[in-house]
Amino acid sequence: MEVATAKDEGSGTMAGVALIALVAILALVAASAGQLLIKQRQARTAADLSALSAAVQIRAFDDSPCGTAREIGKANGASVVHCFIEDEDSIVETAVPVSLPFIDEVWRTSRAGPVQCGAEVGGSAHSVGTLTRQCVRSP
């Protein structure tokens, strides 16, 4: 049996500290990635809901669809950065703050409006997945 020399004493402690540091770094990276994914989903949801609400306001002949989009975005934890009205479509870009070292906020853009009859949507004329969309006939 070999006897440990003075040079080997404490080497297990250093390996243990290195292992704990590695696990802590991996946990931090995983938590940061999780937060980023959650904030991206939040930004997407806020953009979708804001664009849809603005599109509904356009169809109702409301004079402030972007104001409604801003209210909906704020209610969903996002700020509406840009809001455009193009024909009967609303295009809304939202931003959600992120508390990560190199990323301040995430941005997402959504577009909503009526579907013209006969227009291709998701590979078929009137269906997206299992949902059926109604088309709007232009005069």
Side-chain angles (χ1 to χ4, degrees), residues 57-125:
Q57 295 300 84
I58 293 168
R59 299 287 293 169
F61 301 107
D62 189 352
D63 59 347
S64 63
C66 287
T68 302
R70 284 185 183 83
E71 289 175 20
I72 298 296
K74 185 177 180 182
N76 284 282
S79 60
V80 173
V81 180
H82 299 292
C83 179
F84 303 103
I85 306 303
E86 184 178 288
D87 297 325
E88 291 186 20
D89 290 353
S90 64
I91 303 162
V92 177
E93 185 173 14
T94 59
V96 173
V98 178
S99 57
L100 293 176
F102 301 107
I103 301 172
D104 293 331
E105 58 189 8
V106 291
W107 298 42
R108 291 293 177 259
T109 303
S110 289
R111 179 183 193 120
V115 176
Q116 297 301 319
C117 293
E120 289 290 321
V121 178
S124 65

